[in-house]
Amino acid sequence: MDHGPRTSIIGLGNPLMGDDGVGIAVVERLARLTLPADVEVLDGGTGGITLLHLMEGATRVIFVDAVEMGRAPGAIGCFDLNQVDAAEQGALSLHETGLPQVLALGRELGPLPEMLLVGVQPACVAPGTILSPRVTDALPELVERILRAVGGYAILLPMQAEILEKLKAIPAGWQRRLYFMGVLGEALVPVGVRPVIVGGNAVEFYTLGGYATADIDLVVAERAEVDRCLAAMGFTREGRHWFSEELDLAVEIPGSVLAGDRSRVTEVEIDDRLVYLIGLEDLIIDRLNAFVHWRSARDGEWAEQLLALHFDEVDFDYLRCRAADEGVGDTLQKILSGLEP
């Protein structure tokens, strides 16, 4: 029975031989995602004749493997195996898979599907189960390239009914927004994107709901990735905002550059998922800027409230330095004078 076109993503390599296991590491990440219905993810191990069986019925195959390309460790290369002859395939020196020989045999048996090899230059192929730092750093881009190749965006499987129901069960407000950001952040991990909560939603968190806001403001350099992910999650876009009526959530991405120090971003764990928020001191500066430069008295009050609530946690050296740079040092000192014993 013909089920239509199908793409098989096959990870190759030996996870007991250091970087030779990168193909398996990639398909393990992909296996945690919901991919288009016509895409399957397979562990091809160290290859051999069984690869022909794994390819059976596929109209397109994407192999993922460590490839000797003579380039810097972690470099990524893509090869159209239908256009590369057997000698060139052999020159790629695919570790232990025997892929060139298998494909040569496959061609003798009949036509092969469209085939793409996504490879990464290994740093170390030796006994061990840990990927080298350079190859580990390449994993998000490897996953992203494959996601683009299959023409769809991935959502983590937990973002199905179970998590949707859990989100709905959380009362609408800052706690639901924070939980959702954990789900969104986890969905973006494979493509190396880490959105940071800023603005009113960050104030809401640091004041434990004392401040009220209606949407989630994010800073992220890779906006297109977040847009694709939100669309895949069922959000609809209206102007600058993404909305989910089902979850009563709204998301806006007002900028791509964090107004502060990324090393000071606060990490919060929600059900084993990480949520990232602008650092406390940088948020205070953000409110002071709005108070001084935009004449927003309410933001001045929230800057004072944040200082009062977290007085013992604030890095005052950093805060005063940033305040001076932003031209709000005098205002900060006036607020502190009213708070200090």
Side-chain angles (χ1 to χ4, degrees):
M1 180 177 180
D2 184 5
H3 294 284
R6 192 186 85 221
T7 297
S8 295
I9 303 170
I10 303 177
L12 300 172
N14 184 349
L16 300 179
M17 291 294 291
D19 288 344
D20 193 36
V22 64
I24 307 304
V26 169
V27 294
E28 285 177 350
R29 288 192 175 204
L30 290 169
R32 298 198 299 267
L33 309 177
T34 299
L35 296 167
D38 60 349
V39 175
E40 63 178 353
V41 178
L42 303 168
D43 182 340
T46 55
I49 199 69
T50 57
L51 288 180
L52 293 178
H53 173 68
L54 294 180
M55 295 166 61
E56 188 176 349
T59 52
R60 179 170 61 158
V61 176
I62 300 174
F63 294 105
V64 192
D65 194 14
V67 176
E68 180 52 60
M69 299 177 287
R71 298 169 61 185
I76 297 171
C78 295
F79 306 89
D80 182 346
L81 295 181
N82 300 92
Q83 301 299 320
V84 177
D85 63 30
E88 290 175 301
Q89 289 174 21
L92 293 175
S93 300
L94 299 163
H95 301 290
E96 297 189 32
T97 64
L99 183 58
Q101 294 79 12
V102 171
L103 296 184
L105 175 60
R107 289 189 179 93
E108 293 182 9
L109 297 175
L112 292 176
E114 175 187 343
M115 296 177 295
L116 176 71
L117 169 64
V118 180
V120 61
Q121 175 70 46
C124 179
V125 178
T129 59
I130 305 299
L131 297 176
S132 67
R134 291 283 188 88
V135 170
T136 298
D137 290 344
L139 287 176
E141 185 178 347
L142 280 165
V143 171
E144 180 180 2
R145 290 198 185 196
I146 293 167
L147 292 179
R148 293 185 187 282
V150 298
Y153 204 85
I155 310 173
L156 286 176
L157 286 169
M159 187 54 193
Q160 303 304 306
E162 179 184 349
I163 292 302
L164 286 172
E165 291 307 312
K166 186 159 187 175
L167 277 165
K168 291 177 187 177
I170 300 172
W174 70 276
Q175 291 170 310
R176 180 186 292 184
R177 286 190 280 272
L178 205 63
Y179 192 93
F180 169 75
M181 280 307 303
V183 175
L184 176 64
E186 189 176 25
L188 291 165
V189 165
V191 289
V193 176
R194 192 178 80 169
V196 178
I197 298 174
V198 297
N201 198 208
V203 178
E204 194 174 38
F205 166 76
Y206 284 111
T207 60
L208 298 179
Y211 182 96
T213 185
D215 59 4
I216 304 169
D217 292 328
L218 303 178
V219 164
V220 61
E222 306 84 354
R223 176 173 185 145
E225 299 295 349
V226 180
D227 286 347
R228 276 191 285 271
C229 195
L230 289 171
M233 287 177 165
F235 281 67
T236 56
R237 187 171 187 172
E238 296 180 21
R240 299 185 307 168
H241 290 81
W242 287 91
F243 294 96
S244 170
E245 291 187 10
E246 183 179 18
L247 297 174
D248 191 21
L249 292 172
V251 179
E252 182 184 4
I253 307 174
S256 60
V257 179
L258 183 68
D261 186 343
R262 277 198 169 268
S263 70
R264 292 177 175 272
V265 165
T266 297
E267 295 184 1
V268 180
E269 188 172 310
I270 309 289
D271 268 9
D272 297 323
R273 300 180 179 91
L274 288 178
V275 177
Y276 304 96
L277 299 103
I278 185 172
L280 174 61
E281 294 83 2
D282 291 320
L283 181 60
I284 292 169
I285 294 298
D286 175 72
R287 298 295 102 172
L288 288 175
N289 274 327
F291 173 50
V292 173
H293 302 302
W294 296 95
R295 302 290 189 267
S296 172
R298 189 68 176 144
D299 282 303
E301 294 171 6
W302 282 111
E304 183 173 354
Q305 183 80 346
L306 287 165
L307 281 163
L309 285 170
H310 301 279
F311 196 86
D312 293 335
E313 306 163 35
V314 172
D315 181 341
F316 284 104
D317 289 339
Y318 174 79
L319 183 64
R320 287 190 173 96
C321 183
R322 272 221 63 202
D325 290 342
E326 298 287 334
V328 295
D330 291 343
T331 302
L332 172 64
Q333 191 53 50
K334 288 178 183 177
I335 293 175
L336 290 177
S337 296
L339 294 175
E340 292 172 343

